[in-house]
Amino acid sequence: MNARQLILERRSVRAYTDQPIPNEMIEEILEAAIYAPTHKLREPWRFVLANEDGQARYVDQLMNLLAARGQLDQKTDEQRQLMRQKFADVPVYLTVLYEVQGTEDQQMEDLLATAAMIQNIQLLATELGLGCCWKSGKHWFTDGYAELIGATETERVAGVIQLGWPAVIPPLKKRTAARDKLTHF
Ligand SMILES: Cc1cc2nc3c(=O)[nH]c(=O)nc-3n(C[C@H](O)[C@H](O)[C@H](O)COP(=O)(O)O)c2cc1C
C-alpha cells in the first residue's frame, strides 16, 4: 500500500478478535514510528505496553482506579462486569507518554511531534492488518491514570492506543473537503 492508500485505509477500529499480537510486532511498529519529525531531536515520547500477562493486570488496575474515583458508583454489578469485559476485550493497550519540558512553544512542539509519531503507529499497524484506536478523555487523561502507568512528574499521557486484529472494520467517515477549508493567500 502506498502512503495515500494507507491513510485512506486507516480507521479507528474498536472491536477486535482474541488473536494475540506478539510483542515483537508492536516493537517493530514502534521502531519505525519514532522516525516522526521531532524538533531538535528531543524525541519526547515514551511507551508503556500492556500486552500478554500485562493486559490482565492493566484491566484490573484500570477498573480499580475507576472504582476509587467513584466512576463506577452509579453502575450496577452487571454494568460494571460489562465495562470490565469491554476493557478486557482489547488485546493490547499502548500508552504513549511525552515529556513536558522547556518553554510553552517547546511543549507544544513536543506534543505535536508525539501526535505525528502516534499517527505513524496507526498507519504502520494498518499496513500490518492490525486495528487500532487512539483513546483519550476521562479515563486516561487523569492524574490517577498517569500514576497507574508509572508516569514521572514531568510526563503526560498523549493517548492510549488500543490494538488488536480487527473483528469489525468501520466504513470510512467522510471528511469535509480540504478545498472548503483552503484559502489561497
Ligand atoms: C487525539 C485523539 C483522541 C481520540 N480519543 C478517542 C477516544 O477517547 N475514544 C474513541 O473512541 N476514539 C477516539 N479518537 C478517535 C476518533 O474518534 C476518530 O479518529 C474519529 O471518529 C474519526 O474516525 P476514523 O479514525 O475512523 O477516521 C481520538 C482521536 C484523536 C486524534
Side-chain angles (χ1 to χ4, degrees):
M1 256 188 284
N2 64 32
R4 183 191 173 81
Q5 287 165 336
L6 209 46
I7 289 166
L8 294 176
E9 194 79 15
R10 185 208 58 80
R11 304 278 188 282
S12 291
V13 173
R14 299 178 178 84
Y16 315 96
T17 70
D18 52 14
Q19 192 187 338
I21 307 176
N23 281 335
E24 297 71 38
M25 196 173 204
I26 297 164
E27 285 166 19
E28 191 186 310
I29 289 173
L30 298 183
E31 294 300 350
I34 53 167
Y35 284 86
T38 158
H39 198 195
K40 306 265 169 89
L41 270 182
R42 282 197 294 272
E43 305 178 71
W45 42 72
R46 188 165 76 81
F47 310 97
V48 182
L49 177 62
N51 191 19
E52 300 172 344
D53 297 349
Q55 188 266 15
R57 260 198 322 276
Y58 178 92
V59 171
D60 276 349
Q61 291 188 22
L62 187 59
M63 285 300 288
N64 291 345
L65 173 68
L66 301 189
R69 294 175 55 218
Q71 279 181 248
L72 308 182
D73 288 354
Q74 311 301 322
K75 296 194 186 295
T76 62
D77 281 350
E78 196 188 351
Q79 286 169 327
R80 284 176 202 200
Q81 207 40 50
L82 270 174
M83 197 171 181
R84 170 182 288 276
Q85 194 54 52
K86 228 178 129 192
F87 286 132
D89 286 344
V90 177
V92 175
Y93 289 92
L94 176 71
T95 301
V96 180
L97 300 161
Y98 71 102
E99 184 75 27
V100 178
Q101 57 190 334
T103 64
E104 257 182 52
D105 284 357
Q106 285 169 355
Q107 292 178 21
M108 167 87 104
E109 288 164 4
D110 288 345
L111 177 56
L112 293 170
T114 305
M117 192 279 301
I118 290 176
Q119 176 66 347
N120 282 352
I121 293 176
Q122 299 201 103
L123 294 177
L124 290 159
T126 304
E127 187 182 37
L128 294 173
L130 290 167
C132 56
C133 186
W134 184 340
K135 302 292 262 190
S136 59
K138 65 178 178 181
H139 298 328
W140 286 284
F141 284 178
T142 63
D143 291 345
Y145 182 74
E147 195 184 329
L148 179 163
I149 210 69
T152 65
E153 292 272 291
T154 53
E155 285 177 324
R156 295 231 172 95
V157 174
V160 174
I161 315 305
Q162 299 183 167
L163 287 150
W165 297 100
V168 181
I169 300 181
L172 180 78
K173 289 185 187 163
K174 284 281 273 181
R175 306 296 204 255
T176 309
R179 82 181 75 83
D180 294 344
K181 292 175 179 268
L182 174 67
T183 307
H184 291 275
F185 185 76

